[in-house]
Amino acid sequence: MAKRGKKTPPRRDPYQEREQAKYDNPIPSREYLLEFLAAQGRPLGRREIAEALGLETPDQHEALRRRLRAMERDGQLVRNRRRGYLIVDHSELVRGRVMGRPDGSGFLAPDGSGQRIALSPRQMRCLLHSDRAIVRITGHDEHGTPQGELVEILERGNRQITGRFFEEHGVGFLVPENKRLHHDVLLSADGRGGAEDGELAVAELLAQPTERRQPIGRIVQVLGRHIDAGQEVEAAARIHGIPMEWPEQVEAEVASLDEEVAEADKEDGRVDLRRLPLVTIDGADARDFDDALYCEPTAKGWRLVVAIADVSHYVQPGSALDAEARTRGNSVYFPRAVTPMLPEALSNGLCSLNPHVDRLCMVCDVLLQGNGKVLRSRFYRAVMRSAARLTYEQAAAAVLDGDPQARAEIGEELIGHLESLHGLYQTLRRARQRRGAIDFDTTETQMRFDESGRVTAVEPTERNDFHRTVEECMIVANVCAAKYLRKHKVPSLYRVHERPSEEKLEQLRGFLAEVGLQLGGGDEPTGLDYAEVMRQAKERPDRHLIETVMLRSMQAAEYRPDNAGHFGLALEAYTHFTSPIRRYPDLIVHRGIGHVIDGHKGSSFPVSHDDLLTLGEHCSMTERRADEATRDAEMTLKCEYLAEHLGDELNGIIAAVTSFGLFVELEGVYVDGLVHITNLESDFFHFDAVGHRLVGDRTGKEYRLSDRVRVRVARVDKDDRKIDLEMIAHPVDAEGNPVGGGKQSSRRKGKSSGSRRRSGPEAGAPPSSGE
């Protein structure tokens, strides 16, 4: 008879086969232990767990001890004061990534889905931005935002911090350049590394912050007083903690690789596609080619072959290469430079689908109907030989413009396949519109440099139909990969883009009501509802304003093991399969597909749901980190460029409205500068968050998102990457001439709904909806 109060263990461990394959002396899996502890309804100590599960030998006890410690480290379990184990769930105890704010407060972004949990400056005393932690929800504020207190720090996110060295009263300290890091780093007397006051330096942390003490470090590298031309990449990477050097173990593994694909690897059960005229189509400055395409018409529609570099063949789980790729998470594309996820021998060599050489690949072979619907798809490993390396401009000139020279350079045989690709694109484009995928008209830019490395121009990037052709083909392959993973029940990472939050929807609807528009769909609008609003706004003079506000209502896309669909693309399931050279989640997807190709059951894929939950959060973080670092590097270069235009008057568009002023995007330069609220008229301005405007209390003068203005470049700070502007005229026409006397608010004085309210630093993060 069971002892009183003791519950029997749950069902048989569903992951027993996986554990037996991995370990000589297996014990219950993590998933089973969590299920068992949940069934008990109370904390249990290690000996109680071992007894209940029938673990008797010393080896089993030691294995259980290590597993429980690992589950603590990963945030699945915590121990109470009586040493009993508690499950970390999403009702009270929550684990996730700490995100700092410049004011010293922060929030915890939970692993997977869930509302962000606010952390007060007091709770942030012993935390730094990018740490991983467990917090307890203690209540909610008046807006319904959960408030948290720190329970345990799981992982420190900063080993080095880059900032400016200062000395006051004999005490040396480093002020971080990353404004999310709110602690100054104290430096020991012998840890100043020769830095002088005001110089930019890199400090290695010797001690992390505690409740009573700031972090302590020592300077290991001095970068200089200013970020000069050519240093912007290293400075941005250091500031945001992006690895720049390869560990010795990685270099040793790379040195052991052959320069060419081994003959034995080509014949290892692979389909031979070397006679199929696959081509790569990329930007003119691309150096790594991870996808190649082929298309032909069929009786019912189209056959599309998407061949992706087989990175999983070379980067094996448990290797130093894999560990470093996971740490980096993705490649970072700076102006003029790349910090790759994989060493150049792989990213530009063995794993790059260079023309006229044999390469290993993973293939998504798809048959589509004439309306763009997928009939069936299959995945297989292959060996290929790219028939040509084309640029978007070459393909467009040959197919869209019919340029004789471009057609002759490409060759008539390939021209036919390119025309088929473009025909398929037109079909996929119509299918995209029917299902309600959202297309925002955003402008991307590129910089032009002179021989000395200085920026000579910032120009908009022109996209043609072959940019979109490649994108649509990649989307097809990604959708098929997601379907394959779900069909075979393979644990993996999905690219999840959830619909806008209730708060953002409420704000959007309030704004649209003010401009005479309405968003349909009730509490759960679809992409079609968004598309309808954009259709109605297409011919309006305030179209740019409406599209901008709608874009900022969207959430950011993330990597998660639990599929929740992709709102922006209007897809039920979506993953990333097409870029394993530069994105670690794609490598995980390739391994999952390869696991099934090799004849294994999807459920035996040796990666747990919890591992994927943590990995997805990590890769989402490295993606955000890359975006922030790239923006910093670009802003450094743009400040350098604009420093030569001090005092110039330029036209611009109000790109963001905050409680402290207006950010204006300068036309022809595509740089944002700040018109501080103190540089506006002599008035008290209220910030209307719903209407995205500042409204004068006395004059009723109104500055609104997307208004055209004329400003003067007043100050450029290259070190802080800041541009200050002065308002010359508002509003103005396309030539910069003043129009009218300025807009008047329709509200009564002082009744603006968002008076004095301030936007958070994470507000309005745009989604990755054009993936």
Side-chain angles (χ1 to χ4, degrees):
M1 185 174 177
K3 294 180 182 180
R4 184 179 178 184
K6 183 176 180 180
K7 297 184 180 180
T8 57
R11 60 190 173 88
R12 175 182 175 274
D13 187 351
Y15 298 96
Q16 185 175 352
E17 292 181 11
R18 185 191 72 194
E19 297 299 310
Q20 288 173 339
K22 291 173 66 176
Y23 304 105
D24 294 332
N25 189 23
I27 62 170
S29 65
R30 290 189 181 202
E31 294 91 339
Y32 184 81
L33 287 170
L34 291 171
E35 189 176 343
F36 164 69
L37 287 170
Q40 306 311 299
R42 64 187 180 92
L44 292 181
R46 177 159 52 88
R47 291 183 180 179
E48 291 178 288
I49 296 172
E51 180 184 352
L53 298 177
L55 304 179
E56 299 175 349
T57 68
D59 286 345
Q60 288 177 324
H61 276 261
E62 175 61 16
L64 178 64
R65 184 189 69 81
R66 291 182 178 180
R67 175 149 292 175
L68 292 173
R69 289 290 298 274
M71 292 173 74
E72 274 192 273
R73 181 192 64 229
D74 293 342
Q76 292 177 285
L77 299 174
V78 293
R79 275 188 289 182
N80 61 17
R81 294 181 181 180
R82 296 184 178 182
R83 315 301 286 173
Y85 285 95
L86 294 143
I87 298 174
V88 176
D89 57 31
H90 288 275
S91 59
E92 183 180 349
L93 295 177
V94 184
R95 65 174 175 168
R97 179 81 58 180
V98 174
M99 309 289 284
R101 289 191 175 107
D103 64 0
S105 66
F107 59 88
L108 186 95
D111 291 350
S113 59
Q115 192 175 1
R116 289 172 167 177
I117 300 160
L119 297 172
S120 67
R122 179 180 177 185
Q123 297 298 325
M124 290 290 292
R125 283 180 186 172
C126 48
L127 291 168
L128 286 172
H129 170 70
S130 203
D131 287 347
R132 284 182 52 78
I134 296 174
V135 303
R136 177 181 288 107
I137 297 176
T138 57
H140 295 75
D141 66 12
E142 64 273 17
H143 303 293
T145 304
Q147 307 292 297
E149 68 175 10
L150 179 65
V151 173
E152 188 170 343
I153 299 170
L154 298 174
E155 177 188 323
R156 290 296 190 173
N158 301 272
R159 296 289 177 264
Q160 293 185 337
I161 290 179
T162 300
R164 294 203 175 269
F165 169 77
F166 296 100
E167 183 178 1
E168 292 181 5
H169 305 292
V171 178
F173 56 95
L174 197 79
V175 179
E177 283 286 283
N178 186 341
K179 303 309 178 187
R180 291 183 179 272
L181 295 168
H182 58 283
H183 285 294
D184 293 345
V185 180
L186 299 178
L187 302 170
S188 57
D190 59 350
R192 303 184 184 186
E196 297 184 1
D197 205 61
E199 284 193 315
L200 194 64
V202 182
E204 176 186 49
L205 292 189
L206 304 175
Q208 297 284 344
T210 68
E211 194 170 354
R212 294 180 175 83
R213 190 200 64 223
Q214 293 171 259
I216 298 173
R218 65 184 182 91
I219 290 176
V220 294
Q221 183 180 2
V222 178
L223 300 176
R225 189 168 298 278
H226 303 291
I227 302 174
D228 297 322
Q231 288 186 311
E232 71 282 345
V233 170
E234 181 179 5
R238 298 287 185 199
I239 289 168
H240 292 280
I242 294 171
M244 296 283 286
E245 295 82 25
W246 298 107
E248 291 181 8
Q249 300 94 319
V250 171
E251 292 183 338
E253 288 183 2
V254 170
S256 68
L257 296 172
D258 296 327
E259 291 185 8
E260 299 298 333
V261 178
E263 290 300 319
D265 291 338
K266 299 176 189 178
E267 300 172 2
D268 188 18
R270 291 180 179 269
V271 177
D272 192 341
L273 295 182
R274 282 175 285 190
R275 293 186 181 276
L276 194 70
L278 289 151
V279 297
T280 63
I281 309 176
D282 288 276
D285 56 351
R287 295 176 61 194
D288 53 2
F289 313 112
D290 50 9
D291 57 78
L293 298 171
Y294 168 80
C295 181
E296 64 181 6
T298 66
K300 295 184 178 180
W302 309 91
R303 179 196 178 198
L304 171 67
V305 179
V306 180
I308 306 298
D310 191 358
V311 177
S312 63
H313 178 82
Y314 299 100
V315 183
Q316 293 291 319
S319 65
L321 266 170
D322 182 57
E324 184 64 14
R326 177 176 177 141
T327 298
R328 295 185 176 214
N330 47 256
S331 298
V332 186
Y333 292 85
F334 294 103
R336 297 188 295 175
V338 179
T339 303
M341 184 180 82
L342 298 172
E344 192 170 314
L346 288 173
S347 61
N348 293 355
L350 279 171
C351 293
S352 183
L353 306 181
N354 300 323
H356 314 304
V357 294
D358 291 353
R359 289 290 184 258
L360 306 182
C361 58
M362 183 78 81
V363 174
C364 177
D365 199 329
V366 194
L367 290 177
L368 300 106
Q369 292 179 338
N371 61 3
K373 183 178 179 180
V374 174
L375 277 171
R376 61 181 180 271
S377 63
R378 63 190 182 109
F379 288 85
Y380 52 85
R381 294 191 181 95
V383 57
M384 62 161 285
R385 178 177 291 207
S386 172
R389 177 271 196 267
L390 304 176
T391 67
Y392 299 117
E393 291 74 21
Q394 276 180 295
V399 175
L400 306 181
D401 303 334
D403 185 293
Q405 183 178 346
R407 295 179 74 90
E409 289 174 354
I410 293 173
E412 284 304 318
E413 181 188 359
L414 292 183
I415 291 293
H417 300 310
L418 291 177
E419 288 173 341
S420 294
L421 269 174
H422 187 250
L424 174 60
Y425 157 70
Q426 292 173 317
T427 297
L428 294 174
R429 186 72 183 174
R430 289 191 290 269
R432 178 190 182 99
Q433 292 169 347
R434 284 196 302 271
R435 72 173 187 265
I438 303 171
D439 287 313
F440 288 108
D441 186 18
T442 57
T443 302
E444 295 182 7
T445 61
Q446 60 183 353
M447 298 182 189
R448 301 292 183 192
F449 298 90
D450 61 18
E451 293 180 357
S452 64
R454 294 191 175 277
V455 180
T456 57
V458 182
E459 300 172 346
T461 302
E462 292 187 11
R463 288 166 52 83
N464 62 48
D465 269 8
F466 272 91
H467 287 87
R468 302 179 186 96
T469 297
V470 173
E471 286 177 2
E472 289 298 326
C473 291
M474 296 304 110
I475 289 172
V476 168
N478 288 335
V479 170
C480 290
K483 183 178 180 180
Y484 189 90
L485 293 168
R486 297 176 77 193
K487 176 183 176 181
H488 294 282
K489 299 180 180 178
V490 183
S492 194
L493 287 176
Y494 294 92
R495 184 65 167 175
V496 174
H497 182 220
E498 292 191 312
R499 60 173 45 88
S501 66
E502 290 182 14
E503 181 183 2
K504 289 291 180 69
L505 278 176
E506 184 180 346
Q507 292 177 355
L508 174 60
R509 286 202 162 98
F511 166 77
L512 292 176
E514 288 194 351
V515 296
L517 294 172
Q518 184 176 359
L519 177 69
D523 294 335
E524 297 185 355
T526 66
L528 286 171
D529 297 311
Y530 268 66
E532 175 58 23
V533 174
M534 291 167 65
R535 186 193 64 78
Q536 294 178 29
K538 188 174 182 180
E539 303 301 325
R540 292 176 51 138
D542 57 353
R543 171 192 172 189
H544 181 75
L545 165 64
I546 294 166
E547 285 197 354
T548 301
V549 175
M550 293 184 72
L551 175 62
R552 291 179 181 176
S553 74
M554 308 279 275
Q555 299 200 57
E558 296 178 328
Y559 293 107
R560 297 183 198 162
D562 300 304
N563 174 49
H566 198 294
F567 179 77
L569 292 175
L571 293 168
E572 182 181 345
Y574 193 67
T575 192
H576 275 169
F577 162 79
T578 54
S579 295
I581 286 179
R582 59 186 179 91
R583 292 189 304 229
Y584 194 81
D586 301 53
L587 179 55
I588 293 295
V589 168
H590 276 235
R591 287 174 179 167
I593 292 173
H595 185 76
V596 177
I597 290 174
D598 292 338
H600 303 295
K601 291 182 178 179
S603 58
S604 66
F605 185 53
V607 183
S608 71
H609 179 276
D610 196 76
D611 289 338
L612 289 169
L613 196 65
T614 306
L615 177 61
E617 187 283 323
H618 170 76
C619 292
S620 298
M621 179 276 292
T622 61
E623 183 181 53
R624 291 191 301 267
R625 179 179 71 182
D627 289 341
E628 291 175 359
T630 302
R631 280 196 296 269
D632 270 8
E634 290 178 349
M635 198 61 188
T636 298
L637 291 168
K638 289 177 178 179
C639 283
E640 191 172 275
Y641 172 69
L642 213 58
E644 300 176 4
H645 296 271
L646 274 174
D648 288 2
E649 292 185 10
L650 301 167
N651 295 339
I653 294 176
I654 297 177
V657 182
T658 72
S659 60
F660 53 87
L662 310 168
F663 284 96
V664 175
E665 182 185 279
L666 302 177
E667 290 184 358
V669 186
Y670 303 96
V671 181
D672 285 357
L674 174 67
V675 180
H676 197 270
I677 199 166
T678 55
N679 286 330
L680 300 177
E681 289 89 345
S682 298
D683 200 349
F684 182 85
F685 282 85
H686 293 274
F687 172 45
D688 177 3
V690 173
H692 296 268
R693 59 191 172 188
L694 289 174
V695 183
D697 186 34
R698 178 177 54 82
T699 62
K701 176 83 174 187
E702 178 183 309
Y703 291 94
R704 195 172 193 180
L705 189 72
S706 86
D707 283 355
R708 303 179 70 89
V709 297
R710 189 161 181 81
V711 293
R712 179 185 294 114
V713 181
R715 179 175 172 270
V716 177
D717 189 329
K718 292 188 287 185
D719 294 331
D720 284 341
R721 297 173 295 281
K722 291 181 179 178
I723 298 166
D724 290 334
L725 306 173
E726 293 177 352
M727 186 67 67
I728 302 297
H730 165 267
V732 299
D733 60 20
E735 284 70 43
N737 302 311
V739 234
K743 299 178 183 177
Q744 298 296 314
S745 172
S746 59
R747 298 176 182 269
R748 288 187 299 160
K749 296 179 182 179
K751 295 297 182 180
S752 159
S753 64
S755 177
R756 308 190 193 185
R757 190 174 166 195
R758 200 179 188 95
S759 301
E762 73 284 0
S768 301
S769 58
E771 302 166 316

